[in-house]
Amino acid sequence: MTSYLFNPPVVQSLAIRGKTERFPINRLFFVGRNYHAHAVEMGKPVDKSVERPFYFTKSPQTLLASGSTVSYPPETQNFHFEMELVVAIGQAGFRVSQERAHELIYGYASGLDMTRRDLQLVARDKGRPWDLGKDVEHSSVCTEIVPMQGKIIDDAAIALEVNGVTQQSSNVNKLIWNIREVIADLSLFYHLQPGDLIYTGTPEGVNAVVPGDKISGRVDGVAEISLNIGQAE
Ligand code: MN
């Protein structure tokens, strides 16, 4: 038996609807700028005819269960929500065709890609890595995994409210790169593994929250998500 100097990091996991087993997390992938209206509000429109999707990752240790309260994070004045459909990978795949992409899908979840927007934009505009803006502690909020083996979701309303006021309202049928395209493209760069989550991008309407705010959101047919913003440490 291996002996460690201190307790090794805990494997992050999510509940699975209807099951007692939990879904262990391997990696967290995020698609950038995957709805036209959001790309425009970020000042970076996307031309799919000449561009490919791009990705960033966050540490699995940033995972946080829906329903939690998160401390307002340090070193930001502009902490943003991004409501996203999350794909849960259940089968390994490398260089997967779009036609076979559904075979990798275990299920879906609703997710929040919480972002220190001020730091992300400084990094973006200086050509630096996005980690300080995106790989924020407790910033990868996710609901339980809803099993939908082999199913492609290509039409579902996605919405988010803060304190009951609608801020984001769109449909995943507006994804620039759809679920098949994202899985096929990402699998060119990575050997996708069971336990990988793919946050597929956010629609327009991203905005800042402050301590005391209550976020609620959903992808219709998947799950309701919530997050409370607490005081800064
Ligand atoms: Mn995002």
Side-chain angles (χ1 to χ4, degrees):
M1 177 138 168
T2 307
S3 167
Y4 295 104
L5 184 61
F6 49 86
N7 290 334
V10 175
V11 172
Q12 297 296 310
S13 65
L14 291 166
I16 302 172
R17 186 178 295 171
K19 285 193 175 290
T20 52
E21 298 97 333
R22 292 179 64 85
F23 188 89
I25 300 303
N26 186 42
R27 288 171 295 190
L28 303 177
F29 295 106
F30 294 74
V31 186
R33 294 178 207 138
N34 204 15
Y35 289 80
H36 282 297
H38 172 64
V40 168
E41 75 181 348
M42 289 288 100
K44 300 283 182 184
V46 173
D47 179 353
K48 190 179 181 182
S49 69
V50 293
E51 293 181 55
R52 289 178 66 179
F54 74 94
Y55 311 94
F56 56 91
T57 60
K58 300 192 190 190
S59 161
Q61 304 299 334
T62 64
L63 195 73
L64 182 68
S66 172
S68 300
T69 297
V70 66
S71 298
Y72 191 89
E75 298 298 321
T76 183
Q77 316 298 324
N78 199 19
F79 189 43
H80 271 210
F81 53 79
E82 296 189 356
M83 180 70 213
E84 311 202 2
L85 171 63
V86 179
V87 181
I89 299 296
Q91 295 289 332
F94 181 55
R95 295 177 181 149
V96 180
S97 68
Q98 289 183 31
E99 292 68 32
R100 302 195 67 171
H102 62 279
E103 296 174 8
L104 273 58
I105 295 173
Y106 176 78
Y108 292 87
S110 295
L112 290 168
D113 168 18
M114 300 302 293
T115 301
R116 284 189 283 228
R117 188 74 71 203
D118 41 1
L119 302 192
Q120 182 208 2
L121 294 184
V122 166
R124 184 190 78 179
D125 295 342
K126 288 183 181 291
R128 293 174 178 166
W130 284 15
D131 299 49
L132 295 180
K134 284 293 193 181
D135 192 30
V136 180
E137 291 172 346
H138 313 301
S139 68
S140 304
V141 188
C142 201
T143 65
E144 63 185 352
I145 303 292
V146 183
M148 293 187 216
Q149 228 147 353
K151 179 179 166 61
I152 296 288
I153 294 181
D154 49 21
D155 193 318
I158 180 169
L160 176 146
E161 299 96 42
V162 178
N163 306 326
V165 177
T166 298
Q167 302 272 349
Q168 296 190 278
S169 181
S170 186
N171 191 298
V172 299
N173 65 16
K174 294 182 179 170
L175 284 167
I176 298 172
W177 285 279
N178 65 29
I179 304 295
R180 287 189 185 279
E181 291 169 319
V182 165
I183 290 173
D185 187 76
L186 187 58
S187 80
L188 299 174
F189 299 92
Y190 295 94
H191 294 75
L192 293 177
Q193 297 291 329
D196 290 340
L197 298 184
I198 306 172
Y199 285 63
T200 56
T202 193
E204 71 277 17
V206 298
N207 212 335
V209 288
V210 295
D213 281 348
K214 295 185 183 307
I215 297 173
S216 54
R218 75 207 54 77
V219 178
D220 280 3
V222 180
E224 289 276 333
I225 192 167
S226 66
L227 178 69
N228 302 316
I229 310 299
Q231 298 297 319
E233 289 181 72

